[in-house]
Each structure stands twice: as C-alpha cells, then as structure tokens.
Amino acid sequence: MGLLPVVIVGASLGGLRSAEALRRSGYAGPITVFGDEPHAPYNRPPLSKDVLGGGDVTHASVAFPQRAATADVDWRLGTRIASADLERRLVRTADGTEVPYRALIVATGLRPKRLSARTEGLAGTFALRTLDDAGALSDALTPGTQVVIAGSGFVGCEVAATARQLGCEVTVVGSGKLPMLGPLGPALAEELMRRHEAHGVRFRLGTHVAEALGQDAVEGVRLADGSEVACQVLVEAIGSLHNTEWLHGNDVDVDQGLRTDSAMRVLRADGRPWVDVFAVGDVARFPNAIYGDVPASIEHWNIPTETAKRASRILAMQLAEDPDVDAAIAERFAPVPSFWSDQYDIHLLAYGLPALADRMELLAGRTDGECVYGYFVGARMVGVCGIGMRSEVMKFREEVSRYGHVAIGEPA
Amino acid sequence: MLKVDVDRTQCQNFGQCVLEAPNVFVLNAKDEMEYTPVVDDSELENVEAAIDVCPMQAISLVSGR
Ligand SMILES: Cc1cc2nc3c(=O)[nH]c(=O)nc-3n(C[C@H](O)[C@H](O)[C@H](O)COP(=O)(O)OP(=O)(O)OC[C@H]3O[C@@H](n4cnc5c(N)ncnc54)[C@H](O)[C@@H]3O)c2cc1C
Ligand code: SF4
C-alpha cells in the first residue's frame, strides 16, 4: 500500500492554493482534491462583473492557470464529500466510498443563503456563487427585463450595475439604510447609491423581500412593508452559509465558520487542535493578530491564498518532521484583508476592515470624483477605501495592519 | 532569466503585484502599473506570489519555470 494522500476538500481558490503551497513547501507525496463542482478551480469575482456582463461565461474565461508543480495532483471533480470521521482519519464520498487521509485540508467555502425553498424552486430566481449560476443568470439578463435584487451588499450591487449596463430595469431591495453600508461607511455608501441612481437603478431600503410572487415562474416580489414590485428575474444576494455540514458528528466548532487556531488547525470544542486537520479560505474562522486574535471569517479574495500558504507550510513541515515546526506555529499570523469591487466605471479598493470603524474621514480627493477615506476606531486607523487613487490607498496599507490594532467586537 | 507577461486587456492597475514583487512591478505617477519583462531568476518566488495575488489573474511567467 502506498502512502496515504493529503486530502483537500473543496476545489476552488483555497484548495488550489493549498495544493500549490504544499508543493512549494517541499511536500512531494500524494495530494487528492475533491470538488463537487464539475470544473477545475476558477476565479469567482468576475462572475458578478465583466464576465457576467460580457456574455462570455465560460470556464476558459475564468480558469486559474495550472502550474507544473501541481500537475500530479489527483483532482476528483464532480465528487462531493458527504461526511468525515476525523478520529479514523477518513472522508466519505456521496456514494459511500471511504478515503483515508494522512492529513485533511478543509476548503469548502460558502454557498448563498436562499430566501426560501419555494423561491429556490421558481423559474426566474437565481443565486450567484458558481460558474453555472453565472451562466444561467447571464442568459436571463436580457434588455428590458425587470430585475429585483434581494440584498444590497457587494455582490447585489455589482449585479445591479452589470444588469443595468445590459439594459435591464433594476430594483435593489436592502434591509440597511444604505447599500454596502458596513464595508464602505455612510459617506461612501451614500455616494455609491447616488451613482447607481444616476445610472437608473432604483433602491428600496430598510425593508426586505418577504415573498416571491408567481406560480411556476417569478412574477414579482412582496416586500415586508406590503408593497409589490414586478419582476421576471429575482437575484438572491442576501448573504452566505458556511459549507460545514459534512463535518457533522465530529468534535469541531462550526458556529459562523469552522474555528481554527492561528496555524489554521481545526479546533475541537475544548480548544485543542486536531493536528492533522486544517481549514483555509472563506470556510475558516481564524484568529488574526491585527484584530486581537479574535476568531473571525473574512470573506475576501486574498484570504484563501494567505491562509492556504500558512496551513500548507506548517503541514509540510510537520510531515517532514521539521524541528522548526513549533516555531512556525508560534509565528504571528496577520493577513491584511483586502477587497475590491467594480461597478460601472467605479473601481473600489480597500484594506483592513472598515466595518469595525465608528468614524470615517476624507483623506484625499473628492467624494464625487476619486477619493480616499480612512476608517477609525478612536485614533486608530482600521481601514482605508478609495474610489480610484490606488497608490494613495496603498500608502495606508501598513497603517491599517498593525498587530493588535483593534479587537473584532471590541466596543468602540 | 525569467520572462514575465501581463495581459494588458485584463490588468486593472490594482498594484497588488507591486506589494509582492517591487523589483518587477511598479505603479507610476499616473497609477498605471509598469513592469520589467525580463528579470533575474532570484525574483521567481516574488513573481509567483504576484501571480497569486493579482485579482485579474493577468500575470503569467512565459518562461523560467
Ligand atoms: C460573485 C462573486 C463575486 C466576488 N467578488 C469578490 C471581489 O470583488 N473581491 C473579493 O475580495 N472577493 C470577492 N468574492 C469572494 C471570493 O470569490 C471568495 O472569497 C473566494 O472564492 C473564496 O474561496 P474559497 O476557496 O475559500 O471558497 P469557495 O470559492 O466557496 O470554494 C469552495 C469550493 O468547495 C466546494 N465544496 C463545498 N462543499 C463541498 C463538499 N462537501 N465536497 C466537495 N466540494 C465541496 C464548493 O462547491 C466550491 O467549489 C466574490 C465571490 C462571488 C461569489
Ligand atoms: S496585480 Fe494584476 S491587475 Fe493589478 S496591477 Fe498587477 S497585474 Fe495589473
């Protein structure tokens, strides 16, 4: 019998970067990656932006390049892992096959929350996470179509911009006072909303979609305030759920993401790590030294890469019985969250976690043109976000990424 | 030597590459990314890191590995 593989569950950004980083860290043994989607790893951000708008929703247009170092990875695509037994060190595919592992990396990410099982079954309703979702939605966004977007976060607003540019009639329904209020703060959120309205997008804020109307296909929505909006397309962008159900029955903490230590090792309920089980990417809730080591999951694109590098390096050292592994585990882990968003000709770029702030301040430029805002808790700058002005935004990256800067959940 | 290529139809001048490989990529005064297409092998690790973090996945190594 050959060596047992390192098994990675989830064949997206986090899974791919884990496999690459294992090789780069010197691990030469077998790697098996399970992914329930039929596609090799691809990039999700364009699915709400240029790819959705450009009509070229193909795997080739978003596929991550495959590197020579990972050519011998065993990709089991279209194969869902149904359960795991961490004590016995194995995972089970949906057809019951048991796959024993030497170490396990969990990279199963998120899936969209849905309004209800009934809306999910109606023709004309969409969620957006996968390439197949984007393909289906793209076909439905024809000129003149009335589109309601439930949810006014980033994905909702990006889809609104794209749909508007395709000639659809767009209404965004959001429960907040302003769209994207958390990550942008009031001044920028208000400006973004103004620009969307100038492009003809309508907003219904401070309410939510209570119900979808229609028998077989969606014909409209009823909002919580009783009013109705007609539509032929309903996009549900109301947030996400962590894909952790398959770990059910194991001694892990899956509340708001799979909890890990700062080495990305999955923790038992009593806080001790499983030494051979790691989690990376959107699914992981990990302590970040910038934010007082309070465990949180950060759903930004740069985090799967950073957490995968961290987990894979430690795992590779462990498997090689490298005596320095304890020192590597003890090293501080402080990845700087970064996000961007494209809507019309607006290019947003941010570092840190503006959502933690109680105050924002214009640092450069003009709000109605290009600008940079700083986000503060007291005197400490916890985030920076700009419309355009990229090199200005980058100047503040270091400032917002100091250790122990502010604790997530700390009262302001 | 390594040969680096950036797909200009994809690149949106995010400058994330600049943080990872400052000897290869720079943002000029107009916020446009400029890069050195042929660089020393010692930059391999940095260029690999830049490829990883580019949001548009616009960077590729044409030769060198
Ligand atoms: C439309 C859209 C736009 C975005 N835009 C931006 C942006 O502009 N900026 C930004 O910073 N971030 C953006 N993001 C977020 C970014 O794409 C995510 O942070 C990133 O994809 C997370 O990668 P991941 O590998 O951790 O998880 P995922 O990409 O969610 O991958 C998890 C994979 O695991 C698979 N899986 C789940 N359960 C199982 C199982 N039991 N067995 C086998 N496989 C399983 C899933 O099908 C999926 O393929 C966007 C996301 C979306 C959906
Ligand atoms: S990170 Fe990518 S998109 Fe950004 S400047 Fe570099 S090459 Fe261009």
Side-chain angles (χ1 to χ4, degrees), chain A residues 9-15 34-37 44-45 47-49 79-81 107-110 128-129 155 158 243 246 280-282 299-301 304 338-341:
Chain A
V9 184
S12 180
L13 181 56
F34 290 94
D36 62 355
E37 292 184 66
R44 295 190 199 281
L47 299 181
S48 50
K49 307 179 183 75
T79 310
R80 192 170 68 85
I81 293 299
T108 43
L110 305 171
L128 182 54
R129 182 84 190 169
V155 172
E158 287 177 355
N243 289 323
W246 62 280
V280 303
D282 281 2
E299 295 154 18
H300 292 328
W301 189 88
S338 94
F339 73 83
W340 79 95
S341 181

Side-chain angles (χ1 to χ4, degrees), chain A residues 176-297:
Chain A
K177 268 195 246 145
L178 290 167
M180 301 171 283
L181 180 59
L184 295 185
L188 263 189
E190 209 169 297
E191 173 63 14
L192 256 286
M193 177 167 158
R194 191 188 65 74
R195 296 193 193 188
H196 270 280
E197 285 177 334
H199 280 96
V201 172
R202 284 183 290 267
F203 285 89
R204 298 293 305 271
L205 298 171
T207 184
H208 60 267
V209 172
E211 188 186 3
L213 307 171
Q215 282 307 314
D216 306 311
V218 66
E219 287 164 12
V221 292
R222 183 174 296 122
L223 306 185
D225 61 11
S227 61
E228 293 181 5
V229 183
C231 66
Q232 297 81 49
V233 167
L234 169 62
V235 182
E236 300 174 32
I238 54 171
S240 335
L241 301 167
H242 296 91
N243 289 323
T244 52
E245 288 76 4
W246 62 280
L247 287 163
H248 182 79
N250 290 285
D251 183 8
V252 293
D253 175 358
V254 294
D255 183 31
Q256 296 174 65
L258 184 56
R259 187 169 174 189
T260 73
D261 64 8
S262 76
M264 304 312 296
R265 296 180 300 186
V266 170
L267 296 179
R268 296 169 201 257
D270 67 5
R272 280 181 308 130
W274 290 91
V275 292
D276 48 12
V277 184
F278 294 74
V280 303
D282 281 2
V283 75
R285 185 161 65 94
F286 66 98
N288 186 326
I290 303 175
Y291 305 109
D293 281 327
V294 180
S297 77

